[in-house]
Amino acid sequence: MDSNKKLVSLMDSFSNLLKEPFQFCTTILLSLLFPLSFLILSRLSVAHYLIDLLGISTTETDNSDFLIKFFIQANPIFLHVLVSLVSVAALTHSLTGGTSCFLKRTLEPVSRPRLYTAWIFLCILQICVGLGIEGSIAAGVEAHDFGHDRGFLTRAIFFLGLHETMFFWSKTVVKPVVDDTVFGIARENRWAEKAALAMSFGGLWWWRLRDEVESLVVVVEKKRDLFISIRLADFVGWWLYYLTVTIGMIKIVKSLIWVVCVLFGRRVVVDIDNNVGDSRSNDEKV
């Protein structure tokens, strides 16, 4: 009996030891699904542009090209809806609350309906991104040749906006699901997780996103110049790009306001302290 108890205790200790790194890695990987969805959307825009330009019929493909069919026809519907919902929620949060990466996470238990909704969002986006990557590889579609028409300032603001939206996605969807699955309770956000997520996003941006994501805008402009009809999916991609830019601009403005308040707030406090000290010294002289 004692040996069995020791064995169970040892296994529990080993399991608890693995929970922290597992939760850490899982949170980062699932959080990166959101910026990856923009990569898939940009490749979808390029695929639709090439189909319209060359007059290719998507209904004439073989049954063996299921991934290509799903990538071009079904995948955009789910991705556009999910990414639009998260982006609008992130914009609303940026306008009404603090920046998501500086919010204090409450340790109150998450309600079950909200947790189930987060599970559904996460599973659908994971399936769409996974099949979208496989479908884009099978179709041989890349968007790096379409993404160099934006200026540096616009790209930088989009980078900040996507970074902020990804943190919002991680805080509201990914982390509640992972924490409930691994620990059964909500866990506080750690700076190590935020730093690792920011570095991972920076690596993904430098590796792929910076060269391909701008096709969401460039494709619409090329279709307009060539008098090709613009699809609803093209418009939604264009709208998502500038919605993310708007989130980045709000983040910059709020950061500047915070800096001004800190600088001038300290100056006001120092001036008040000096005035109080001078008034006390004058009273002592009198």
Side-chain angles (χ1 to χ4, degrees):
M1 290 294 295
D2 293 337
S3 60
N4 291 334
K5 289 182 179 179
K6 289 182 179 180
L7 181 60
V8 171
S9 177
L10 182 63
M11 293 182 64
D12 290 340
S13 301
F14 183 72
S15 176
N16 293 330
L17 184 64
L18 293 179
K19 282 184 178 180
E20 290 287 343
F22 177 77
Q23 182 264 354
F24 183 85
C25 296
T26 304
T27 301
I28 293 175
L29 292 175
L30 294 179
S31 299
L32 291 176
L33 286 176
F34 190 80
L36 279 173
S37 65
F38 272 83
L39 180 65
I40 303 303
L41 290 177
S42 64
R43 294 184 176 184
L44 280 168
S45 296
V46 173
H48 290 154
Y49 169 75
L50 295 176
I51 289 172
D52 293 338
L53 184 64
L54 301 176
I56 301 173
S57 176
T58 57
T59 59
E60 296 178 356
T61 55
D62 299 332
N63 294 330
S64 58
D65 298 329
F66 167 76
L67 286 176
I68 299 177
K69 280 187 175 182
F70 183 85
F71 170 69
I72 295 175
Q73 297 177 4
N75 209 26
I77 300 174
F78 298 105
L79 275 181
H80 282 132
V81 171
L82 291 177
V83 175
S84 298
L85 288 175
V86 175
S87 298
V88 171
L91 176 63
T92 305
H93 175 75
S94 298
L95 291 171
T96 59
T99 51
S100 62
C101 56
F102 294 105
L103 277 179
K104 292 182 179 179
R105 178 177 171 83
T106 60
L107 299 181
E108 298 177 358
V110 181
S111 62
R112 305 313 295 183
R114 179 185 170 186
L115 192 63
Y116 296 149
T117 304
W119 262 109
I120 294 172
F121 268 70
L122 189 59
C123 291
I124 294 177
L125 189 64
Q126 188 173 4
I127 293 172
C128 290
V129 170
L131 292 178
I133 292 175
E134 293 292 334
S136 63
I137 293 175
V141 176
E142 290 187 358
H144 58 82
D145 293 333
F146 290 80
H148 300 284
D149 289 358
R150 303 294 96 190
F152 173 77
L153 182 60
T154 304
R155 298 177 73 177
I157 296 175
F158 178 84
F159 172 83
L160 292 175
L162 186 57
H163 175 271
E164 184 71 6
T165 310
M166 180 192 65
F167 267 101
F168 176 82
W169 158 262
S170 177
K171 175 185 175 295
T172 57
V173 177
V174 175
K175 194 154 179 58
V177 169
V178 176
D179 289 350
D180 181 76
T181 303
V182 178
F183 300 108
I185 57 173
R187 297 289 296 267
E188 185 178 359
N189 279 331
R190 296 175 298 176
W191 283 105
E193 290 181 4
K194 297 176 182 178
L197 182 56
M199 292 176 61
S200 301
F201 172 70
L204 179 62
W205 173 269
W206 187 262
W207 176 55
R208 283 291 182 181
L209 280 174
R210 68 188 180 102
D211 294 328
E212 299 193 35
V213 74
E214 291 176 3
S215 61
L216 293 172
V217 178
V218 176
V219 164
V220 175
E221 296 176 352
K222 287 182 178 293
K223 282 190 172 184
R224 182 193 59 193
D225 295 339
L226 296 174
F227 300 102
I228 300 176
S229 60
I230 297 176
R231 304 186 184 202
L232 178 61
D234 299 326
F235 174 77
V236 173
W238 175 87
W239 173 72
L240 284 173
Y241 183 91
Y242 283 109
L243 180 63
T244 307
V245 170
T246 303
I247 295 173
M249 293 177 65
I250 294 173
K251 179 178 176 64
I252 293 174
V253 171
K254 293 178 74 172
S255 300
L256 291 176
I257 293 174
W258 180 82
V259 171
V260 170
C261 290
V262 169
L263 293 178
F264 287 92
R266 289 182 178 179
R267 180 175 296 180
V268 170
V269 171
V270 171
D271 291 340
I272 293 175
D273 292 340
N274 291 334
N275 292 332
V276 171
D278 292 339
S279 62
R280 288 179 179 177
S281 61
N282 292 332
D283 292 340
E284 291 175 357
K285 290 180 180 180
V286 173

